[in-house]
Amino acid sequence: MNEESEGLPARPLIGRTAVVTGGGRCVGAGVAGLLARAGARVALVGRSEDSLRAVARELPRDTEVIPADLSQPDAPAAVIDAAIRRLGKVNILVNNAGAENFTPSDQLTAQEADELWALNGRAPLLLGGKAAAHMASIGGGSIVNISSVVGSERSIRGQSLYAATKGAVDAITRSLAADWGGKGVRVNAVRPAVTRSDMSAAIFTNPDLKNALTAQYALGRLGEPEDIAQAVLFFASDASSYVTGQTLSVDGGWISALVH
């Protein structure tokens, strides 16, 4: 099917700009690549400049690289300011940067909790607020947060802190959507289950573990970065122009198929 002949743009993000945090690896790189192929000019954000530049080399030549440690208090605002200077505007923000923590709940320290919250919770909140204000000033935009199915839909032993931060991301999504919807800014979230990434490498390199997990998924496979990227593109584009404050589980049917 020719998309343009069916009234759908082949490159729906032409003329738009996108900031992708955690853009130097795995899901972030996959999201950045798809948004670029859809026509957006992209700014990649992450801690490792080398990793960001490696991804940027695979994208259009005007891709911007913004090294930053988003767990630092002033970094989110500085990143959005830098992106506006370099791109001229920010139409799309993808809050993908994050980390995991598997410390048992009775052994967690305040420092561990503060460190994970700073990256997984505080950063998307501050990035979202700063970006939304800018988007409102230019007529609107789209913010897409990467959450997790363990944030609000299913609990897994040993992930109490991680789940708490991702549950916060879902709440941030709804709250920012309410705050900024009247000014043309949409805010939605994508909830992956197990998806190929640095954090899940131990699963994908262990055939027995991978097969055991795959058996729990209705679609018979684990996630790939492209799966998440396609959902992000939907929320970033006008295809979802009447959707805000929503969370979409991209989990291969894990939630619906899981039986204990």
Side-chain angles (χ1 to χ4, degrees):
M1 179 183 73
N2 184 304
E3 290 181 309
E4 292 182 321
S5 70
E6 296 293 328
L8 300 172
R11 301 181 72 197
L13 302 184
I14 285 285
R16 302 186 196 182
T17 63
V19 175
V20 180
T21 72
R25 56 193 181 122
C26 305
V27 171
V31 168
L34 184 59
L35 297 186
R37 294 195 299 276
R41 186 179 173 203
V42 177
L44 302 171
V45 181
R47 290 177 175 171
S48 170
E49 184 172 356
D50 289 344
S51 296
L52 296 175
R53 294 201 178 280
V55 173
R57 284 193 290 270
E58 303 299 320
L59 302 184
R61 65 185 180 196
D62 57 354
T63 297
E64 296 291 336
V65 167
I66 305 176
D69 179 356
L70 292 172
S71 68
Q72 297 304 304
D74 296 333
V79 161
I80 298 301
D81 285 339
I84 294 169
R85 287 196 305 271
R86 298 189 192 187
L87 299 173
K89 60 180 179 176
V90 174
N91 304 113
I92 300 159
L93 168 65
V94 182
N95 278 316
N96 168 70
E100 289 184 313
N101 180 295
F102 299 116
T103 302
S105 53
D106 63 333
Q107 299 174 30
L108 278 169
T109 66
Q111 181 177 349
E112 285 179 291
D114 289 345
E115 288 176 351
L116 202 68
W117 161 251
L119 180 61
N120 287 11
R122 185 179 69 193
L125 173 61
L126 297 180
L127 283 160
K130 179 79 172 179
H134 165 72
M135 291 174 183
S137 74
I138 62 171
S142 176
I143 297 171
V144 187
N145 297 321
I146 304 301
S147 180
S148 171
V149 292
V150 303
S152 301
E153 293 188 271
R154 176 67 67 176
S155 296
I156 299 177
R157 294 185 185 93
Q159 294 193 13
S160 58
L161 176 57
Y162 177 71
T165 62
K166 289 303 185 178
V169 170
D170 289 349
I172 289 166
T173 299
R174 294 188 297 270
S175 296
L176 289 181
D179 286 348
W180 295 99
K183 296 185 178 180
V185 181
R186 298 183 297 106
V187 188
N188 295 286
V190 176
R191 291 174 174 164
V194 175
T195 301
R196 189 184 301 275
S197 70
D198 292 347
M199 291 189 290
S200 65
I203 294 171
F204 280 82
T205 57
N206 183 327
D208 291 338
L209 179 56
K210 181 181 177 183
N211 290 339
L213 284 173
T214 300
Q216 300 177 14
Y217 285 63
L219 293 183
R221 68 175 178 88
L222 303 182
E224 297 290 342
E226 184 75 6
D227 298 318
I228 310 308
Q230 290 288 351
V232 171
L233 177 59
F234 168 71
F235 283 134
S237 73
D238 291 341
S240 61
S241 62
Y242 197 52
V243 181
T244 194
Q246 300 302 305
T247 54
L248 174 64
S249 294
V250 181
D251 67 348
W254 182 70
I255 292 298
S256 62
L258 186 61
V259 177
H260 288 293

